[in-house]
Short mmCIF file of all heavy atoms in Angstrom, two decimals:
data_model
loop_
_atom_site.label_atom_id
_atom_site.label_comp_id
_atom_site.label_asym_id
_atom_site.label_seq_id
_atom_site.Cartn_x
_atom_site.Cartn_y
_atom_site.Cartn_z
N LEU A 13 133.56 151.12 8.91
CA LEU A 13 133.76 152.20 9.88
C LEU A 13 133.53 153.58 9.26
O LEU A 13 133.10 154.50 9.91
CB LEU A 13 135.17 152.16 10.47
CG LEU A 13 135.51 150.94 11.33
CD1 LEU A 13 136.96 150.98 11.74
CD2 LEU A 13 134.62 150.93 12.55
N LEU A 14 133.84 153.69 8.01
CA LEU A 14 133.72 154.98 7.35
C LEU A 14 132.41 155.14 6.61
O LEU A 14 132.17 156.18 5.98
CB LEU A 14 134.89 155.16 6.35
CG LEU A 14 136.27 155.17 6.97
CD1 LEU A 14 137.34 155.24 5.88
CD2 LEU A 14 136.40 156.30 7.95
N ASP A 15 131.56 154.15 6.62
CA ASP A 15 130.31 154.21 5.87
C ASP A 15 129.34 155.14 6.59
O ASP A 15 128.78 154.83 7.64
CB ASP A 15 129.72 152.80 5.78
CG ASP A 15 128.49 152.77 4.88
OD1 ASP A 15 128.32 153.73 4.11
OD2 ASP A 15 127.75 151.78 4.93
N ASP A 16 129.14 156.33 6.05
CA ASP A 16 128.23 157.33 6.64
C ASP A 16 126.89 157.32 5.96
O ASP A 16 126.04 158.18 6.25
CB ASP A 16 128.83 158.73 6.53
CG ASP A 16 130.03 158.89 7.46
OD1 ASP A 16 130.06 158.22 8.53
OD2 ASP A 16 130.90 159.69 7.12
N SER A 17 126.65 156.41 5.03
CA SER A 17 125.40 156.39 4.31
C SER A 17 124.24 155.91 5.17
O SER A 17 123.09 156.20 4.89
CB SER A 17 125.50 155.55 3.05
OG SER A 17 125.76 154.21 3.42
N GLU A 18 124.55 155.13 6.22
CA GLU A 18 123.48 154.67 7.10
C GLU A 18 122.97 155.84 7.93
O GLU A 18 123.76 156.64 8.42
CB GLU A 18 124.01 153.58 8.03
CG GLU A 18 124.43 152.32 7.34
CD GLU A 18 124.95 151.30 8.32
OE1 GLU A 18 124.48 151.31 9.47
OE2 GLU A 18 125.80 150.52 7.92
N ASP A 19 121.68 155.91 8.09
CA ASP A 19 121.10 157.00 8.90
C ASP A 19 120.65 156.43 10.22
O ASP A 19 119.50 156.08 10.41
CB ASP A 19 119.91 157.62 8.13
CG ASP A 19 119.45 158.89 8.77
OD1 ASP A 19 120.27 159.52 9.49
OD2 ASP A 19 118.28 159.27 8.56
N LEU A 20 121.59 156.35 11.16
CA LEU A 20 121.29 155.79 12.48
C LEU A 20 121.26 156.91 13.48
O LEU A 20 121.89 157.93 13.33
CB LEU A 20 122.38 154.79 12.87
CG LEU A 20 122.58 153.59 11.96
CD1 LEU A 20 123.77 152.78 12.42
CD2 LEU A 20 121.34 152.70 11.97
N SER A 21 120.53 156.67 14.57
CA SER A 21 120.55 157.64 15.66
C SER A 21 121.92 157.53 16.31
O SER A 21 122.59 156.49 16.24
CB SER A 21 119.45 157.36 16.68
OG SER A 21 119.75 156.20 17.41
N PRO A 22 122.36 158.61 16.97
CA PRO A 22 123.69 158.56 17.60
C PRO A 22 123.87 157.45 18.59
O PRO A 22 124.93 156.83 18.63
CB PRO A 22 123.78 159.92 18.29
CG PRO A 22 122.87 160.80 17.50
CD PRO A 22 121.76 159.92 17.03
N SER A 23 122.84 157.14 19.36
CA SER A 23 122.99 156.03 20.33
C SER A 23 123.11 154.69 19.60
O SER A 23 123.87 153.82 20.01
CB SER A 23 121.84 156.00 21.33
OG SER A 23 120.61 155.90 20.65
N GLU A 24 122.33 154.49 18.52
CA GLU A 24 122.44 153.27 17.73
C GLU A 24 123.82 153.19 17.09
O GLU A 24 124.45 152.12 17.01
CB GLU A 24 121.35 153.20 16.66
CG GLU A 24 119.96 152.99 17.18
CD GLU A 24 118.91 153.10 16.10
OE1 GLU A 24 119.20 153.66 15.01
OE2 GLU A 24 117.83 152.59 16.32
N GLU A 25 124.30 154.34 16.62
CA GLU A 25 125.58 154.40 15.96
C GLU A 25 126.71 154.04 16.94
O GLU A 25 127.60 153.26 16.62
CB GLU A 25 125.80 155.80 15.40
CG GLU A 25 126.97 155.91 14.46
CD GLU A 25 127.01 157.27 13.81
OE1 GLU A 25 125.96 157.93 13.70
OE2 GLU A 25 128.10 157.67 13.43
N ILE A 26 126.63 154.55 18.14
CA ILE A 26 127.61 154.24 19.17
C ILE A 26 127.56 152.73 19.47
O ILE A 26 128.61 152.07 19.56
CB ILE A 26 127.38 155.05 20.45
CG1 ILE A 26 127.66 156.52 20.17
CG2 ILE A 26 128.26 154.57 21.58
CD1 ILE A 26 127.22 157.45 21.28
N GLY A 27 126.36 152.20 19.60
CA GLY A 27 126.20 150.76 19.84
C GLY A 27 126.79 149.93 18.72
O GLY A 27 127.45 148.91 18.97
#
Side-chain angles (χ1 to χ4, degrees):
L13 293 175
L14 298 176
D15 187 17
D16 290 331
S17 64
E18 295 180 30
D19 192 23
L20 299 174
S21 72
S23 58
E24 290 173 341
E25 192 172 335
I26 293 170

